Amino acid sequence: MMRKIETNTAVQRKREIEDPQKRHSRHEAMEAVQMLDKLKYDFPHSLESMKYFYDLYERVYCKGEKIHSDKPLVGTLCIQVPYEIIYAMDAVPVRLCNGFHTDEQLGGEFMPTKSCSLVKATLGMLQSRDIPAADKLDIIVHPTTCDQKTKAISIIEDMSYDMYHMEFPRVKESEESREYWRRTVRKFTKDISKELGRKVSRRSLKEAIRKVGRAQMAYHKLNELRRVTPSPILGKDMFLITNAFFFDEIERWTEAVENVYEEVKKRVQSGFNAAGKRSPRILYTGSPPIFPNLKLPVMIEEADGIIVADESCSANRLLNDMVSVDEWFMYDMVDAIADRYLKGCTCPIFTKNEDRKRRLRELIEEYCVDGVVYQSFAGCQVYEMEQRSIMQEMEKINIPMLYVETDYSPGQGGQLSTRVEAFIESLKVRRRKR
Amino acid sequence: MVYFAGIDIGSTAIKIVVIDENEIIKGYKVSGSGSMFYKYAKESFELLLKDIGISSQDVAYITSTGYGRKLFKEADETISEITANAVGARKAGEEFGTIRTIINIGGQDSKAIALDEHGNVVNFAMNDRCAAGTGKFLDVAAAKLEIDVEELGDYHFRSIGTPLSINSTCAVFAESEIIGLLGNEHTKEDIVAGIHFSIAKRIIRLAKRVGLNEVIYFDGGPALNKGLVSAIEDELGRELAIPRYPQITTALGAALLAKEAWEYELKNADAV
Ligand code: SF4
Ligand code: SF4
């Protein structure tokens, strides 16, 4: 190893440095692969039909495939944007709620330190202009739901996106708010079609309601199978399925869900158990787990729990009720759509907590739930605040609840999983004593 | 002619540099530190002197540095590797402009040093006593993947899939992460790239604590790994300043400090 050298001059190199956009996609891909790996390999007996979804995520999040190209793309900032109306314009809705730590860090520059991970991640994604599945957004629709999103709007406008605001009421029960929201949706229908230069006709709207209805039906049927004891499908797969609804081509998605249904049904017939012998049945609620931040759901199931029901806007709530139309006239349909969104919404942004409590009780009973896991993103005020009243409600009906405050950072792992494990164990002990 | 020697006794390698009065490197040597630091250090020192044809009487001053610096009894002085690294980097990186930030990955630790415009250390940060993201970690990973450490660079550039993140901050756990990835049918190429990017992210996080300024200089043995260099550059979004012999920077710094100390002693002796 000995060499004589005259000078210690260094070598001059010239090389292409990865551009920031590429680096950003790489960071995302690294996160995505890590989660996909977990979902694919860390659980036994994976479903053959889930392959469609694993591949979809890989294509979109790892290989950067843009699956919508020819149609106008409407970004949506919350589950309250009526998909039916967008489809009726032959446009494609893409939900922008995001689960990447990479984006959360980027978006952290715009928001107070202690603010919701989801909103930060969405801002980061918009800032980087790297929007999964979509090349460019023609418009972003924002319903005035939670405060953080509402206040993030001006930041998004500064990034020079076209935005449309939908005024959303904060009271659910009154006739006034119903009328108010109906007006909002009617106006939205008119404005957006002008904006995109696309007409909504009676026929196209009817067709769109059918299309979304079919998707909901497929999902409902699959979801119903989770009531069976033992439960035939793990929650981690269900989250992946509902998350894909954010951006997938709706008809292909529906078909894929139907395939999963068929396979799971066979499992039910053979009495198959997707989890362990004594796995407690968990209801998951709170801040929405969005790919790849499926950290908490995965932890629950790794700890031998099984999520049989969920109440979050990235899962069950997405497809709650179907639009019910009396008369297939244009404005009847639009009103019916408006109703389904407002009535079905159990987001904690509303003044009263009653409806969510009712919904949770319902789910607990129907799905024979042993315990509830409630996640709140640190900084998400509404979930943090509502948690107390939900906890009291659960005490009343004697269902244990674990409250977890999280964000998107990967470091939190060890401590959190210990808590989750202890909770699951306590549920097992409880059941044995019964 | 008088000569000065700097000897850097690290956890995995012993590096020796001999310079002359004009600060020109007369010779250098890198050898494994093995189990008997003192014996090996002394032996390689003698070998080096023989190779460049000078006798030990011609060496006016020896400064030792590094983790095993106290063990080298022949040294006239010992100095911390932070100082030696800074002084060496300044010299070795002269042609890149003024070095303001140093990233150093060693066998067992990694550090970032911030310098002011005169080359004085103003701030530094070291990793939290953990081997993840150090040379040792690369060794362990390469062994697990059954490839040579020298080959890591080639593997990195052949990766065509997604690099795979290694999140464990502990080398022991990281090792099992790697085993897991291998089990899940990922290619060695993607795993290697993932290791490099994970180390890159970690070292940049460390460097950000002291501040990333103008020219960023990267040294230590792992700087020879082109894959790792490329990963750090991609993460930083700019090119690094890398000396031709990144392993010997700290030893060079020690040699330069030896010369300084000797000159100082001479001056003071004159005054008497
Ligand atoms: S938590 Fe509420 S406001 Fe946020 S996306 Fe979900 S439904 Fe919308
Ligand atoms: S056991 Fe892990 S955490 Fe502890 S010092 Fe070693 S590498 Fe670091």
Side-chain angles (χ1 to χ4, degrees):
Chain A
M1 268 294 252
M2 153 67 210
R3 244 168 310 163
K4 226 180 189 172
I5 45 171
E6 314 71 48
T7 61
N8 51 311
T9 49
V11 202
Q12 285 290 351
R13 298 157 310 128
K14 259 278 153 278
R15 75 170 203 95
E16 293 272 316
I17 308 268
E18 193 178 55
D19 71 74
Q21 193 71 39
K22 247 182 94 189
R23 186 187 329 143
H24 182 263
S25 325
R26 173 169 53 74
H27 283 179
E28 290 200 335
M30 286 169 83
E31 268 187 69
V33 169
Q34 210 169 27
M35 183 43 75
L36 281 176
D37 260 18
K38 262 192 177 313
L39 300 176
K40 281 198 279 192
Y41 302 114
D42 288 4
F43 296 92
H45 321 295
S46 61
L47 286 154
E48 192 55 41
S49 49
M50 278 305 290
K51 197 171 172 303
Y52 169 82
F53 293 98
Y54 298 145
D55 287 350
L56 175 72
Y57 280 88
E58 192 172 323
R59 270 166 37 219
V60 170
Y61 288 110
C62 305
K63 306 218 169 95
E65 193 177 315
K66 305 294 178 199
I67 52 179
H68 307 290
S69 49
D70 47 340
K71 293 180 181 173
L73 287 169
V74 180
T76 68
L77 281 178
C78 165
I79 192 179
Q80 291 309 317
V81 181
Y83 269 31
E84 289 85 349
I85 290 166
I86 299 171
Y87 282 127
M89 276 174 252
D90 201 23
V92 180
V94 176
R95 185 155 152 208
L96 303 175
C97 297
N98 185 23
F100 280 93
H101 181 51
T102 307
D103 290 316
E104 184 196 15
Q105 283 175 307
L106 256 184
E109 286 170 29
F110 303 101
M111 304 270 296
T113 326
K114 197 177 184 298
S115 43
C116 162
S117 298
L118 191 158
V119 181
K120 278 193 266 188
T122 298
L123 287 181
M125 174 180 70
L126 291 172
Q127 158 82 357
S128 72
R129 301 202 173 250
D130 188 1
I131 295 140
D135 237 339
K136 64 162 194 22
L137 300 170
D138 291 85
I139 195 162
I140 296 178
V141 182
H142 158 247
T144 51
T145 43
C146 82
D147 288 351
Q148 298 202 26
K149 282 193 175 163
T150 305
K151 296 310 285 182
I153 296 315
S154 70
I155 304 170
I156 300 176
E157 269 170 346
D158 287 345
M159 296 172 184
S160 61
Y161 284 96
D162 280 333
M163 304 229 36
Y164 184 84
H165 310 288
M166 278 181 101
E167 288 172 37
F168 191 76
R170 288 295 189 90
V171 173
K172 185 165 162 176
E173 297 80 5
S174 76
E175 198 47 39
E176 286 82 359
S177 68
R178 184 175 180 220
E179 193 41 50
Y180 177 69
W181 176 241
R182 281 183 165 187
R183 252 200 325 258
T184 303
V185 177
R186 283 181 218 145
K187 188 166 176 303
F188 168 76
T189 313
K190 234 189 275 147
D191 292 349
I192 289 287
S193 62
K194 210 184 289 153
E195 194 82 38
L196 298 178
R198 304 233 164 180
K199 264 194 92 63
V200 180
S201 65
R202 203 166 75 98
R203 187 165 346 113
S204 73
L205 190 55
K206 200 170 162 184
E207 177 50 32
I209 293 176
R210 285 240 170 84
K211 212 181 339 187
V212 177
R214 242 186 341 254
Q216 288 176 310
M217 190 49 122
Y219 178 74
H220 269 284
K221 275 168 66 187
L222 175 60
N223 199 37
E224 292 285 285
L225 295 181
R226 297 163 89 187
R227 293 185 190 211
V228 183
T229 339
S231 177
I233 182 168
L234 287 171
K236 55 120 188 165
D237 286 333
M238 295 301 284
F239 276 110
L240 208 61
I241 291 172
T242 41
N243 269 232
F245 189 76
F246 285 21
F247 59 86
D248 196 11
E249 210 277 303
I250 185 165
E251 271 154 336
R252 245 184 330 211
W253 182 88
T254 308
E255 225 173 88
V257 176
E258 282 163 355
N259 290 338
V260 178
Y261 171 77
E262 290 303 329
E263 195 181 345
V264 175
K265 207 170 80 183
K266 281 200 202 102
R267 283 186 164 188
V268 173
Q269 283 154 1
S270 64
F272 180 88
N273 187 358
K277 249 198 210 136
R278 267 174 280 278
S279 302
R281 299 167 67 87
I282 305 293
L283 164 67
Y284 180 94
T285 188
S287 300
I290 293 164
F291 184 85
N293 178 46
L294 302 180
K295 187 165 70 178
L296 191 55
V298 165
M299 261 179 208
I300 294 171
E301 301 198 323
E302 274 176 340
D304 197 31
I306 177 165
I307 301 173
V308 292
D310 42 66
E311 207 295 306
S312 98
C313 70
S314 68
N316 209 336
R317 206 189 300 156
L318 198 61
L319 300 156
N320 262 345
D321 305 288
M322 275 183 264
V323 177
S324 62
V325 187
D326 300 327
E327 306 226 31
W328 295 91
F329 294 121
M330 188 67 180
Y331 278 97
D332 278 337
M333 284 192 275
V334 173
D335 285 354
I337 290 170
D339 283 353
R340 107 108 167 124
Y341 279 86
L342 184 63
K343 264 194 234 152
C345 182
T346 39
C347 178
I349 55 148
F350 292 113
T351 327
K352 289 191 177 164
N353 306 344
E354 293 320 308
D355 204 39
R356 220 159 80 81
K357 284 193 208 157
R358 178 195 53 77
R359 180 95 185 106
L360 291 175
R361 275 197 315 263
E362 225 171 69
L363 288 169
I364 288 169
E365 206 160 300
E366 285 169 14
Y367 288 81
C368 305
V369 166
D370 298 307
V372 174
V373 175
Y374 186 124
Q375 157 172 265
S376 171
F377 291 143
C380 166
Q381 282 195 10
V382 281
Y383 276 112
E384 280 174 344
M385 285 185 73
E386 206 191 65
Q387 175 264 131
R388 288 173 64 91
S389 105
I390 301 287
M391 182 75 101
Q392 282 159 6
E393 184 73 15
M394 293 301 118
E395 271 165 21
K396 248 191 259 163
I397 58 172
N398 199 20
I399 294 286
M401 175 173 124
L402 174 72
Y403 172 64
V404 178
E405 224 183 81
T406 59
D407 56 24
Y408 287 179
S409 61
Q412 215 181 3
Q415 224 196 44
L416 190 56
S417 62
T418 309
R419 277 185 69 200
V420 171
E421 275 161 33
F423 178 68
I424 302 286
E425 281 156 18
S426 75
L427 292 179
K428 285 186 189 165
V429 173
R430 227 176 110 99
R431 210 202 266 159
R432 227 180 291 144
K433 282 196 187 136
R434 238 188 270 151
Chain B
M1 193 69 144
V2 251
Y3 299 93
F4 308 95
I7 175 160
D8 171 13
I9 307 181
S11 59
T12 44
I14 295 166
K15 284 84 61 176
I16 310 170
V17 171
V18 175
I19 59 168
D20 65 16
E21 277 168 291
N22 302 319
E23 302 189 351
I24 303 285
I25 298 182
K26 288 310 285 181
Y28 76 94
K29 189 171 172 65
V30 180
S31 49
S33 42
S35 54
M36 289 180 285
F37 287 98
Y38 175 66
K39 183 164 167 272
Y40 289 130
K42 200 163 161 345
E43 270 172 24
S44 6
F45 187 50
E46 277 158 10
L47 268 173
L48 175 62
L49 291 186
K50 214 170 110 207
D51 276 337
I52 49 179
I54 55 177
S55 78
S56 55
Q57 274 83 26
D58 296 334
V59 182
Y61 207 93
I62 306 171
T63 298
S64 70
T65 183
Y67 159 78
R69 60 178 177 271
K70 298 262 157 59
L71 301 169
F72 195 67
K73 300 185 192 96
E74 278 76 5
D76 297 284
E77 192 181 50
T78 63
I79 195 102
S80 85
E81 57 264 45
I82 304 284
T83 313
N85 201 173
V87 172
R90 201 156 167 244
K91 176 81 180 167
E94 247 168 5
E95 68 190 273
F96 296 101
T98 316
I99 304 287
R100 297 293 303 277
T101 308
I102 302 170
I103 294 175
N104 171 287
I105 300 186
Q108 257 177 15
D109 51 32
S110 44
K111 50 183 179 284
I113 306 172
L115 307 176
D116 65 12
E117 58 271 39
H118 310 296
N120 302 315
V121 176
V122 285
N123 197 359
F124 69 90
M126 285 182 79
N127 69 327
D128 27 32
R129 244 175 243 293
C130 174
T134 65
K136 183 78 203 158
F137 178 65
L138 285 168
D139 291 344
V140 171
K144 265 289 150 257
L145 294 168
E146 296 178 320
I147 56 184
D148 271 358
V149 194
E150 286 77 40
E151 287 178 299
L152 286 173
D154 296 340
Y155 274 79
H156 180 94
F157 294 113
R158 283 207 306 268
S159 155
I160 43 167
T162 307
L164 302 148
S165 358
I166 309 287
N167 271 346
S168 300
T169 41
C170 162
V172 177
F173 290 134
E175 193 182 332
S176 50
E177 258 189 80
I178 293 172
I179 297 171
L181 291 174
L182 273 175
N184 291 343
E185 300 160 25
H186 291 295
T187 66
K188 288 185 183 177
E189 280 78 2
D190 292 347
I191 299 177
V192 169
I195 291 169
H196 289 157
F197 281 118
S198 301
I199 296 180
K201 277 196 227 171
R202 194 165 292 150
I203 189 83
I204 288 168
R205 225 179 296 137
L206 191 73
K208 277 190 178 152
R209 295 218 306 250
V210 303
L212 289 168
N213 279 316
E214 294 152 61
V215 186
I216 299 169
Y217 176 93
F218 176 39
D219 69 4
L224 293 168
N225 175 342
K226 295 212 168 57
L228 179 61
V229 170
S230 142
I232 299 178
E233 289 182 335
D234 284 343
E235 287 296 331
L236 275 175
R238 51 176 148 152
E239 240 178 278
L240 292 162
I242 298 177
R244 191 183 298 240
Y245 307 103
Q247 265 186 303
I248 61 169
T249 306
T250 307
L252 171 64
L256 292 166
L257 286 163
K259 178 180 167 247
E260 215 182 282
W262 179 73
E263 280 166 354
Y264 181 79
E265 268 186 21
L266 261 194
K267 234 190 2 221
N268 281 10
D270 284 349
V272 174

